[in-house]
Amino acid sequence: MGHGRYIEPPAAQYVLGAGEKLALEFSVLPGESRDIDISVDLAGEGAEFSLRGFYILGRDEKLNINVRVHHKAPGCSSSQVVNGVAGGEAAVKFDGRIIVAPGADGTDASQTNRNVVVSDSARVETTPQLEIYADDVKCSHGATVGKLGEDELFYMRSRGIPEREAKVLQILSFLSPALPDGVDQNGVEEALREILV
Amino acid sequence: MILLDIKNLYASASSATGSATEILHGVDLTVGAGEVHAIMGPNGAGKSTLSAVLSGKPDYTVTSGSVTFAGEDLLAMSPEQRSWAGLFLSFQYPVEIPGVTYSAFMKAALAARRKAAGEEELSAADFLKLMKEKMAFVGMDPSFAKRAVNAGFSGGEKKRAEIFQMAMLSPVLSILDETDSGLDVDALKTVADGVNAMRSPEKSTIIITHYRKLLEYVRPDKVHILKAGRIVRSGGEELADEIENEGFDKF
């Protein structure tokens, strides 16, 4: 896949022709309220789309993510990974829709949206939708909203890593599939320390 | 000198539904500095509960009794404080942490421990040297430093990595919770070599196991049988032979 591009709100629309490739990335950090709207049409045979996005919120931000991927031609692939952590009074909504049109046979589409909530007041809603009207397609989607697991945390603490720092590493692990290559890891860790009060 | 002193320890495990089950019913155990103790027992005896309570795992509650470690009240410490004080638990099921490299993991662990001890952080060069040395010590390929913690490791690799962490942290008391289960002979020898090489007049080890096999390579000073939440018998190495030949039923 090609180089990632950061998306500027409010909306970005793309139409990919035969063999074209598009890789998008986004990040939302503490203090940023955003509406992210992405619409991609895979209109030519063999087009490829990938999306990696993450958010780290912990004040009273509002984040709305809308992703619509429309497979219109045969043999196209799309992959989306959006993971995030919500603390404070952050409110996050993720709406993801994959549409595989009639005739878009051999489509390979995946979408993952995993969210972890680290405060009592943060809210996350995720709605993945899949509409398939073609044959011979490989589609997967998964969405979760949960809390941090105790096992990783205890494992790290038993090695002497203090609880807060262990949580930073744990969330970093959770976010890792959605982090762009070459992301500023220190910046991510700093953002996590900020929301883990 | 006594390093670990467990007195009349009663502990319960709480389930996800919040109900508590008492598993340890009055454990007494004293481990001297420099000693290797083996705790053997059938499934459900409370072996893993004992290691969980000693390392401070949440979801376990001590209802009565005391544990003194190097003169301090162990039960009053957080898991990280126990680690800083020199306690190490080799997990029966090491946890996978994708996206966090072994190098970052050990760096965070060492930095916290040195900070707690009032020492300066290791330089990057010294840290890398230490990693390399300890990986070689347990026969781990240096490439594991850049791999995510235990992610996709085989059972044997995970156990080897636990011994690597033990060597990195150089604990005063190591508890090996069924570190030998599921290991082939070569991996078992690696674990044993690691434990033996760290034996010293100050350092102690508790080996929790079902089987005598590991004890052929790491010879214990004392063997205890834990059954139904209590130590029902203590003795020397010969006790392990007795169990191997006759099973736990007679105790």
Side-chain angles (χ1 to χ4, degrees):
Chain A
M1 293 253 165
H3 292 289
R5 276 188 252 167
Y6 283 89
I7 301 153
E8 292 307 320
Q13 293 191 15
Y14 302 89
V15 178
L16 302 184
E20 282 191 320
K21 295 179 183 183
L22 173 69
L24 297 177
E25 298 165 350
F26 70 84
S27 62
V28 185
L29 295 169
E32 298 178 359
S33 282
R34 299 256 297 263
D35 285 315
I36 293 174
D37 243 302
I38 300 164
S39 165
V40 177
D41 283 2
L42 297 150
E45 194 164 346
E48 292 177 22
F49 168 61
S50 89
L51 171 68
R52 276 196 277 188
F54 71 96
Y55 68 84
I56 298 169
L57 300 175
R59 300 180 196 171
D60 57 354
E61 306 91 338
K62 292 195 174 18
L63 172 64
N64 294 302
I65 304 167
N66 250 292
V67 187
R68 179 185 153 281
V69 174
H70 202 155
H71 281 259
K72 292 180 166 172
C76 295
S77 67
S78 66
S79 115
Q80 308 168 45
V81 185
V82 177
N83 290 354
V85 51
E89 294 170 18
V92 176
K93 266 190 189 174
F94 177 89
D95 276 296
R97 177 181 289 213
I98 299 172
I99 306 155
V100 183
D105 300 342
T107 286
D108 186 348
S110 68
Q111 180 187 70
T112 317
N113 172 233
R114 296 183 67 206
N115 308 275
V116 60
V117 175
V118 294
S119 72
D120 291 336
S121 307
R123 294 281 171 270
V124 177
E125 278 175 49
T126 176
T127 320
Q129 294 174 77
L130 202 50
E131 294 174 27
I132 302 174
Y133 306 104
D135 299 319
D136 184 27
V137 288
K138 216 172 101 187
C139 284
S140 67
H141 66 161
T144 58
V145 180
K147 291 185 174 176
L148 290 172
E150 284 293 331
D151 289 349
E152 294 95 340
L153 198 60
F154 174 63
Y155 188 64
M156 289 192 266
R157 293 179 71 190
S158 79
R159 270 41 177 162
I161 302 175
E163 185 169 10
R164 182 146 168 265
E165 204 53 27
K167 280 184 181 171
V168 168
L169 288 177
Q170 195 181 4
I171 299 173
L172 198 63
S173 164
F174 178 84
L175 295 178
S176 63
L179 297 179
D181 301 329
V183 71
D184 169 17
Q185 190 126 338
N186 289 333
V188 172
E189 288 182 20
E190 277 311 309
L192 291 174
R193 281 186 198 105
E194 185 192 319
I195 66 157
L196 291 170
V197 282
Chain B
M1 202 191 93
I2 292 173
L3 181 64
L4 181 75
D5 196 11
I6 304 176
K7 280 195 180 129
N8 203 24
L9 186 69
Y10 286 75
S12 307
S14 39
S15 70
T17 55
S19 64
T21 314
E22 186 174 280
I23 297 173
L24 300 182
H25 312 291
V27 172
D28 286 293
L29 179 69
T30 304
V31 178
E35 293 176 352
V36 173
H37 287 228
I39 297 177
M40 303 182 75
N43 280 326
K47 302 193 296 296
S48 287
T49 297
L50 181 60
S51 68
V53 168
L54 292 177
S55 55
K57 190 172 186 184
D59 302 334
Y60 290 84
T61 312
V62 172
T63 47
S64 165
S66 67
V67 182
T68 310
F69 177 56
E72 306 276 330
D73 178 6
L74 186 73
L75 301 176
M77 300 183 201
S78 68
E80 50 268 46
Q81 286 170 330
R82 296 178 199 210
S83 170
W84 302 337
L87 186 91
F88 180 86
L89 170 66
S90 171
F91 280 53
Q92 186 179 0
Y93 303 107
V95 176
E96 301 193 6
I97 314 171
V100 175
T101 63
Y102 246 106
S103 179
F105 179 57
M106 291 319 307
K107 204 169 176 190
L110 279 185
R113 148 176 302 224
R114 293 182 70 93
K115 193 177 167 191
E119 296 166 357
E120 273 188 42
E121 205 170 326
L122 280 180
S123 72
D126 285 345
F127 173 73
L128 287 176
K129 200 175 142 207
L130 188 68
M131 285 277 289
K132 222 170 154 182
E133 186 189 311
K134 300 305 182 190
M135 287 186 137
F137 174 66
V138 299
M140 249 169 109
D141 190 278
S143 65
F144 277 82
K146 287 183 183 159
R147 285 183 56 183
V149 177
N150 300 333
F153 287 24
S154 71
E157 284 168 346
K158 281 181 183 168
K159 298 297 176 76
R160 202 182 284 258
E162 292 290 288
I163 302 303
F164 158 71
Q165 293 179 39
M166 182 175 97
M168 285 294 284
L169 297 171
S170 188
V172 183
L173 175 65
S174 303
I175 303 167
L176 308 185
D177 187 5
E178 306 207 11
T179 302
D180 52 346
S181 63
L183 291 190
D184 60 28
V185 175
D186 286 341
L188 196 66
K189 280 184 180 157
T190 303
V191 168
D193 288 347
V195 175
N196 285 327
M198 288 178 57
R199 275 180 102 150
S200 80
E202 297 83 35
K203 292 177 188 294
S204 310
T205 305
I206 297 174
I207 297 172
I208 295 174
T209 184
H210 273 281
Y211 311 105
R212 192 187 54 173
K213 196 82 199 153
L214 180 59
L215 305 181
E216 288 173 16
Y217 299 107
V218 185
R219 312 222 6 218
D221 297 298
K222 282 183 185 147
V223 176
H224 309 275
I225 298 174
L226 183 70
K227 203 175 164 184
R230 302 189 65 195
I231 304 269
V232 294
R233 180 96 176 263
S234 296
E237 272 184 291
E238 72 287 346
L239 198 51
D241 298 333
E242 222 176 300
I243 292 163
E244 190 80 358
N245 296 329
E246 302 171 45
F248 290 108
D249 286 348
K250 64 180 271 196
F251 296 102

